[in-house]
Amino acid sequence: MNRSGIWGAVAALTFVAGAANAGTFPDFGYQPPSKLYSGPLFQLSQDYPKQMPNSTPPGFFGQLPKPLSNDFEKWRPYTDAVKKYCLEGNVETDWVVQKNPVRKWYHAPWQHYGPDGREGIHGLTKEAQIQVKQLAPTQTTTGQTYAVGIYNDIGGYTFGQVWKDPQNPDPRYTSKPNSFPNGTVVCKALFADVVQSQVPFLQNPVQWDAYITDTFASSNRVIRKVALIQMDFAVRDTRIPGTGWIFGTFQYNGAVTGKPGWDNLIPVGVMWGNDPENNGNDYTNPQPSVTKINPKLLESAINANTKELPPTHLGWNGRLNGPVDNPVSACMSCHMTAEAPAVSPMNPTFQANPPPVGSKEWMRWFQNEPAGWPFDPGKALSTDYSLQLAGGLQNFYDWKCNQGGVFVGGGNACTNRAGPRLQLNALPQPTKIFKVTRDPGLEEVH
Ligand code: HEC
């Protein structure tokens, strides 16, 4: 990807000017031309708490099924409560999250930069291509996904710590146990640019205007309506042995209620581990006409109610993934690779000669690593399952490198993309990879 040239100049300018917000970090990378758009511009919520918020974990912590179970119905009260937590006050304010009257939310900095950077209407970043028939058998053309993620105050505090010196971020902060403290909640709303008539569950859509590329391959931006298709969440919960995180997702289905609304987000499932023992491939289902639920998975729980959800592809061998996610991956498989610098790809297939499916090399992406341990010990620092933190740091180092590469206080961003503060070999190294079982007794691991 070419991140220099005109783009670098624009970013530098935005960085100095601070854009619409006059905050430390730029708000967005792609401002819609004023002759096409005159509405409000996206502002980054970046007033990160300076003190660790003195808050107890969210109330939905009380709904965690004990023991953990791969029967989704045991999780339904939990996912209902998480959905409420993510949406309360945000739907009413159209996700201008700094105006949320119920609780505070924050955005990740440095997502504005590069070809996939935030657009200026809702702060959406460019994500993946939607493949033909990935969403429904009637979906015959490709599409693309855009998204915005938000962190609660507990997670926002961590961002403030890592980025305390905006010219010299310090990912050592997250490369240790309890970097994102217990009670961190992240929610992410995903929007699709597809031919909506080809996707039955996108009828009665919730739509946003967005300044997006006209196709996935293009870099030419246009204003277009995109449709809410998925909402992800991640919760840091120290009671979860092994990984310390719970990931879950909702899929939009406007076919059931018959009217548009965020309520049409239906839970697909949750996962709290990668099922390291399970290396089969029978339930992988890239072009779904039915949902294939793998009963042997112990660390994903998938909603089996076909009245509320259309057929969906899930992740590799039935692990949790949402409709616009990669069908040979899984939420925690991708997120476990979050580190700075990003040494390994997010999925075994994202490299020149992928290992055989299910092989030992392949299964490296389906282990359970505890919160805060790097995927490449000795070569990188963990950003604790946060790919936005990892991506923001990567963007910052790319920008620095394009600026000439020198950090305040010395060090070269082009040769040391993890920043000048890091002495990687001096860091604590992981000693074991954890197995999560169905009934771990919910003990703390850290
Ligand atoms: C192919 C890899 C991949 C898969 C699979 C994936 N994600 Fe992500 N996710 C990303 C990347 C990359 C980002 C950061 C970029 C962004 O948000 O625009 C991200 C961002 C997020 C965020 C925002 C906070 C953060 O950690 O950066 C949440 C929450 C999230 N994903 C949850 C999920 C859930 C839940 C699933 C499964 C249903 C999932 N993800 C599947 C790659 C993946």
Side-chain angles (χ1 to χ4, degrees):
M1 249 181 274
N2 181 4
R3 298 195 166 189
S4 54
I6 284 191
W7 220 98
V10 172
L13 203 71
T14 331
F15 189 63
V16 172
N21 207 4
T24 304
F25 301 106
D27 299 300
F28 48 77
Y30 295 93
Q31 178 161 356
S34 52
K35 60 179 187 306
L36 298 178
Y37 177 80
S38 57
L41 293 171
F42 172 76
Q43 297 198 347
L44 196 78
S45 176
Q46 55 175 299
D47 190 12
Y48 308 112
K50 290 186 184 56
Q51 305 293 322
M52 173 63 188
N54 191 13
S55 47
T56 45
F60 66 75
F61 267 53
Q63 311 276 0
L64 186 76
K66 296 177 193 170
L68 298 176
S69 167
N70 63 357
D71 171 3
F72 177 75
E73 291 309 320
K74 302 265 176 8
W75 284 89
R76 194 177 281 273
Y78 180 91
T79 54
D80 285 352
V82 175
K83 176 170 141 182
K84 184 168 176 221
Y85 186 90
C86 292
L87 295 182
E88 227 174 3
N90 286 334
V91 174
E92 299 85 324
T93 50
D94 202 27
W95 284 62
V96 179
V97 297
Q98 16 324 42
K99 293 202 183 139
N100 185 321
V102 184
R103 65 180 63 86
K104 297 209 151 105
W105 292 97
Y106 303 88
H107 298 111
W110 273 94
Q111 304 292 108
H112 65 286
Y113 187 68
D116 302 338
R118 290 190 195 278
E119 52 80 53
I121 304 180
H122 286 100
L124 302 174
T125 54
K126 185 174 179 177
E127 312 261 309
Q129 185 167 38
I130 300 172
Q131 308 300 330
V132 164
K133 298 193 180 177
Q134 178 180 334
L135 303 177
T138 45
Q139 182 226 330
T140 52
T141 51
T142 59
Q144 51 179 341
T145 313
Y146 282 78
V148 61
I150 53 173
Y151 289 77
N152 71 351
D153 55 351
I154 305 180
Y157 171 74
T158 298
F159 271 88
Q161 293 302 303
V162 173
W163 286 95
K164 205 189 279 175
D165 176 353
Q167 291 292 339
N168 201 357
D170 191 356
R172 282 179 309 185
Y173 190 82
T174 50
S175 206
K176 59 180 186 337
N178 287 324
S179 42
F180 278 109
N182 193 41
T184 294
V185 181
V186 200
C187 310
K188 177 177 169 186
L190 297 98
F191 292 80
D193 170 36
V194 276
V195 180
Q196 284 170 24
S197 58
Q198 296 179 1
V199 185
F201 62 83
L202 288 181
Q203 59 189 277
N204 308 305
V206 169
Q207 291 177 316
W208 276 2
D209 283 330
Y211 188 46
I212 64 172
T213 58
D214 52 10
T215 62
F216 184 72
S218 162
S219 58
N220 180 47
R221 298 254 167 181
V222 293
I223 295 181
R224 197 177 285 160
K225 291 212 185 305
V226 290
L228 177 65
I229 187 164
Q230 181 174 331
M231 185 173 75
D232 291 341
F233 67 85
V235 175
R236 177 76 172 98
D237 187 332
T238 51
R239 296 170 301 176
I240 304 299
T243 62
W245 284 93
I246 300 169
F247 278 63
T249 195
F250 303 89
Q251 170 168 353
Y252 193 83
N253 188 0
V256 176
T257 58
K259 52 178 199 279
W262 289 77
D263 274 354
N264 292 333
L265 288 167
I266 309 294
V268 178
V270 293
M271 74 184 292
W272 58 97
N274 278 313
D275 271 282
E277 314 269 287
N278 188 302
N279 64 353
N281 200 23
D282 294 346
Y283 291 84
T284 307
N285 184 20
Q287 297 191 345
S289 52
V290 290
T291 304
K292 291 190 189 169
I293 297 180
N294 182 349
K296 295 213 176 98
L297 290 174
L298 303 178
E299 297 163 14
S300 285
I302 307 293
N303 184 359
N305 185 337
T306 52
K307 288 207 184 77
E308 55 180 12
L309 275 182
T312 189
H313 59 74
L314 304 171
W316 181 53
N317 207 26
R319 289 168 180 81
L320 182 66
N321 243 351
V324 293
D325 287 316
N326 188 313
V328 298
S329 187
C331 315
M332 296 185 81
S333 168
C334 257
H335 280 265
M336 191 174 71
T337 67
E339 61 184 7
V343 174
S344 293
M346 291 186 291
N347 184 260
T349 61
F350 296 177
Q351 53 188 334
N353 294 303
V357 177
S359 64
K360 187 163 177 272
E361 294 72 32
W362 174 281
M363 292 308 289
R364 190 182 159 225
W365 276 265
F366 295 92
Q367 301 300 310
N368 288 328
E369 289 182 354
W373 288 119
F375 193 64
D376 291 279
K379 295 187 196 149
L381 292 173
S382 170
T383 58
D384 194 0
Y385 283 80
S386 173
L387 284 164
Q388 288 193 335
L389 183 54
L393 291 165
Q394 200 70 45
N395 287 342
F396 177 78
Y397 300 134
D398 285 351
W399 175 74
K400 268 286 176 195
C401 179
N402 290 336
Q403 291 302 294
V406 180
F407 286 101
V408 175
N412 188 304
C414 303
T415 51
N416 183 2
R417 298 178 92 206
R421 293 176 181 231
L422 310 182
Q423 291 171 326
L424 291 169
N425 52 10
L427 296 166
Q429 302 303 316
T431 49
K432 54 181 165 177
I433 285 177
F434 289 82
K435 229 182 258 175
V436 184
T437 58
R438 193 194 298 240
D439 184 8
L442 299 177
E443 283 160 16
E444 286 212 17
V445 281
H446 295 308

